[in-house]
Every structure is written in structure tokens, then in C-alpha cells.
Amino acid sequence: RGRALRAEIGRKVEELAEEESRTLRDAAAERERVSSLQQRLGEANQRWEAAHQRAIQAAAGSDGQTMRAAFEEVGGMRSRAQTLQEIIQENQQRVQTKENAAADLRRQIDELRAQLQRYSDALENDLSAGRERIEDHVSDRNLDSLDSFRQRLTRCRYACHEQ
């Protein structure tokens, strides 16, 4: 019963460790996506700033058509940057969710390992107590044998002295 329970707990620990590993790999992949998106966001913000500068210059001395095109470009660039920012936030939330799940799995693994350790300690204590009982039994038997040997030796000595 104890051996089967320890084996079952060991299998559960192994399954949880595999799931934790997979979850951490997923979180790392999400972090890479966030990093890539942040780089693209930086580029989009630079384009937005450049378009904004062009729009300001166009507003100073251009016709309505040029101004309109410049401000449409600014709006498009700003929209792209905002969309990237929202996507980054969603991915960061996914990373956090995956990391929390991995931390929960790690906690479960640690609890199961502690349970295994408690079982192991209890088994060791039982084994130690069993050894002590056997040792006491063997010692008692040896003492009985020793007493019997002494009695025979004493009889032999008397027998030798009487002769």
C-alpha cells in the first residue's frame, strides 16, 4: 500500500513537472513575442512622430489636400501604435497568467515532494523500530544462549574438579 502510494505521488510529481516546464516554455515564447511587439511599437511611435512633424509643417504652408493627407497619415500611425500597445498588454497578461500557473504547479510539486518526504521519514522510523526490535530479540536470545553456556561450563568445571 505504501509503495503504491509513493509511486502514485511520484507519477503525479512527474506529470506536474512536465506541465510546469511546458507552461514556462509557453511563457518564454509569449515574452519573446512581447519583446518583438515592443520593438515594432518603438518603430511605429517613431513613424508617428515623423508623420506628426510632417503634418505640422504641412499645416504651416500647404494646401488643404496635402494637409489632409498628412493628418490622415498621423492618425493611421497613431492608430497602429495604439493597436500594438493593446496587443502588448494582452500578451503581457498572458505571460503573467502562464507564470502564475507555473508557480502554482511548482507549489503543488513542492507539497507532493514534502508529502513523499514525510512518508519516507515515517517508513524510516518504522524500519528503525523494527531493526531495534530484532536486535533486542537477538540480544535476548544470545543472552539466553550465553547463560546456558555458562551453566554448562560451570557443570563441566564441577565435573572436572570432582574427578
Side-chain angles (χ1 to χ4, degrees):
R1 172 175 141 31
R3 193 176 294 163
L5 181 61
R6 286 193 317 269
E8 183 180 334
I9 292 172
R11 281 190 297 275
K12 185 65 175 171
V13 165
E14 189 175 314
E15 289 171 11
L16 290 173
E18 287 174 8
E19 189 174 339
E20 177 197 28
S21 178
R22 183 179 37 79
T23 303
L24 288 173
R25 279 192 310 273
D26 291 348
E30 287 289 337
R31 269 194 300 282
E32 285 181 31
R33 274 188 226 116
V34 166
S35 178
S36 173
L37 287 169
Q38 285 174 331
Q39 184 178 8
R40 289 173 54 192
L41 175 62
E43 294 167 1
N45 281 333
Q46 287 175 351
R47 284 191 221 115
W48 173 70
E49 288 293 330
H52 187 259
Q53 291 302 319
R54 285 192 300 274
I56 290 173
Q57 290 171 356
S62 297
D63 61 12
Q65 189 70 12
T66 306
M67 254 178 33
R68 181 177 177 185
F71 280 102
E72 283 178 355
E73 182 184 10
V74 169
M77 292 297 162
R78 187 65 197 143
S79 176
R80 178 177 169 83
Q82 285 176 338
T83 301
L84 284 170
Q85 183 62 38
E86 290 170 7
I87 292 170
I88 288 170
Q89 288 173 348
E90 289 172 6
N91 282 6
Q92 285 174 332
Q93 288 173 346
R94 278 197 291 269
V95 167
Q96 188 62 42
T97 300
K98 289 178 188 299
E99 287 176 347
N100 289 343
D104 184 54
L105 290 168
R106 174 52 47 192
R107 181 190 53 76
Q108 290 177 39
I109 289 168
D110 291 342
E111 287 174 2
L112 287 172
R113 284 186 175 158
Q115 186 178 5
L116 273 175
Q117 186 61 45
R118 285 191 303 272
Y119 284 145
S120 177
D121 292 345
L123 188 62
E124 185 62 36
N125 289 339
D126 289 347
L127 185 60
S128 196
R131 284 181 180 146
E132 287 175 13
R133 279 187 300 227
I134 290 171
E135 196 174 289
D136 290 344
H137 181 69
V138 168
S139 294
D140 290 345
R141 186 179 268 176
N142 286 343
L143 285 177
D144 290 343
S145 296
L146 186 59
D147 286 341
S148 172
F149 177 74
R150 283 183 185 156
Q151 287 173 358
R152 282 185 294 168
L153 184 61
T154 304
R155 277 188 236 131
C156 285
R157 282 185 185 159
Y158 277 131
C160 288
H161 285 287
E162 289 178 7
Q163 292 178 358

